[in-house]
Amino acid sequence: MRIVILPDPTAVARFGADIFVQQIQKKPASVLGFATGSTPLAMYQQLINDCQSKKVSFKKVISFNLDEYLGLATTHQQSYRYFMNQHLFDHIDIDKNHTYIPRGDATDPAAACQDYENKIKEYDGIDIQLLGIGRNGHIGFNEPSSSLMSRTRVKTLTRATIEDNAHFFSADEYQPHMALTMGIGTILDAKKIILLATGKSKASAIKACVEGPLTAACPASALQLHQQATLILDEDAASELNDLEFYRHIERENLKLKEQMEK
Ligand code: PGA
């Protein structure tokens, strides 16, 4: 795992956006995995700015989102389709026909999950998957106890996740308790993984993810198995890590190496 610790959420957003921009510049038809939630919003704003200033074009990009609420139509204001349109797709030059999100309104959700897996394979897998992390260590909607080998399927959300996401819903609005989500196995198949975390409320989940045992009790700990997973953290999210100084040292050494190679 590469652990990058930055001063604040703005720096996290910029660092994450740069990785995506470089990926698209290298491979215009990249297959990108996107995430919803509060954390990626600042990074999406950076990508919007980069697209509008013509630094990058999403014209050939294909995207797959991690998850979607079960039972919400794509037009529902709380659906993740709506979220992605509102916070990213409507402001960049991506072809929306090439943006995939699990079908929350499918009459046969299990078949929709299988179709989703097949579609990802059709595009030869995901080049970079973006992740947030839940306070309980979830990635996507893979809650604690999810199989570390799981594929896209329907999952029941924990009370903690429902409460954490309640602020997106108004008091009289129906909040789904189930979702379709890529599995942990699906996520681990991505060629690269970028996890963003900011704020003190994520510090203990980050500690469990990086320094805890590999366990279904913390789904994000499965990233320990991935060869190219990068965690981009602000100081608050990194604050409970035991080996903080070592992670900073590694980054400094890698930077030195890179500078020497570029000379
Ligand atoms: P958040 O959610 O960015 O809204 O904190 C992260 C997640 O649940 O994956």
Side-chain angles (χ1 to χ4, degrees):
M1 263 184 195
R2 178 179 175 202
I3 297 157
V4 180
I5 302 161
L6 298 169
D8 54 43
T10 308
V12 168
R14 188 63 255 167
F15 197 97
D18 283 342
I19 292 175
F20 279 89
V21 168
Q22 282 159 19
Q23 170 68 33
I24 301 166
Q25 286 170 341
K26 200 170 67 190
K27 180 183 170 191
S30 286
V31 183
L32 305 180
F34 287 133
T36 51
S38 310
T39 313
L41 288 176
M43 191 193 100
Y44 290 158
Q45 189 54 54
Q46 297 281 346
L47 291 178
I48 291 168
N49 297 346
D50 291 344
C51 183
Q52 292 182 350
S53 67
K54 308 260 182 272
K55 187 169 161 190
V56 70
S57 168
F58 290 78
K59 274 205 174 94
K60 295 190 175 156
V61 163
I62 291 105
S63 76
F64 286 91
N65 261 75
L66 283 170
D67 44 22
E68 178 59 283
Y69 285 119
L70 181 68
L72 295 193
T74 53
T75 50
H76 193 288
Q77 291 202 3
Q78 302 302 343
S79 72
Y80 283 165
R81 161 59 68 186
Y82 193 93
F83 178 105
M84 288 307 296
N85 287 346
Q86 188 185 20
H87 295 293
L88 184 63
F89 300 152
D90 282 346
H91 313 285
I92 58 175
D93 59 353
I94 201 164
D95 177 350
K96 279 202 197 139
N97 294 317
H98 292 158
T99 63
Y100 298 98
I101 298 182
R103 289 300 303 239
D105 57 353
T107 44
D108 183 345
C113 290
Q114 187 55 54
D115 288 349
Y116 206 64
E117 288 279 330
N118 296 342
K119 192 52 95 180
I120 295 171
K121 278 206 191 82
E122 225 176 82
Y123 282 108
D124 205 20
I126 293 171
D127 291 307
I128 303 187
Q129 177 64 54
L130 178 67
L131 298 176
I133 185 169
R135 284 188 303 134
N136 63 5
H138 75 203
I139 46 175
F141 272 135
N142 295 285
E143 301 283 31
S145 83
S146 291
S147 157
L148 299 182
M149 305 281 277
S150 50
R151 312 302 305 185
T152 306
R153 70 218 182 289
V154 174
K155 284 294 287 178
T156 303
L157 310 184
T158 61
R159 187 155 294 280
T161 297
I162 293 166
E163 282 166 12
D164 282 350
N165 287 346
H167 68 98
F168 288 112
F169 293 80
S170 55
D172 56 347
E173 208 168 22
Y174 165 68
Q175 187 181 355
H177 292 186
M178 295 179 95
L180 281 67
T181 181
M182 279 187 201
I184 298 173
T186 319
I187 292 169
L188 291 179
D189 280 350
K191 289 158 201 152
K192 283 187 191 157
I193 295 178
I194 306 293
L195 184 146
L196 308 185
T198 56
K200 277 247 185 282
S201 67
K202 301 296 171 68
S204 67
I206 289 297
K207 180 176 168 46
C209 164
V210 178
E211 295 174 342
L214 174 65
T215 168
C218 175
S221 68
L223 301 186
Q224 293 172 18
L225 294 170
H226 200 276
Q227 285 190 310
Q228 289 207 62
T230 301
L231 272 56
I232 309 171
L233 313 173
D234 71 353
E235 293 284 351
D236 283 342
S239 60
E240 287 186 27
L241 290 169
N242 283 335
D243 281 331
L244 208 51
E245 284 318 310
F246 179 53
Y247 309 136
R248 291 191 211 275
H249 174 68
I250 296 171
E251 277 304 296
R252 282 193 297 267
E253 290 297 300
N254 284 343
L255 193 66
K256 264 195 242 161
L257 204 62
K258 195 168 159 245
E259 283 167 1
Q260 272 170 18
M261 283 164 65
E262 282 169 1
K263 264 186 200 160

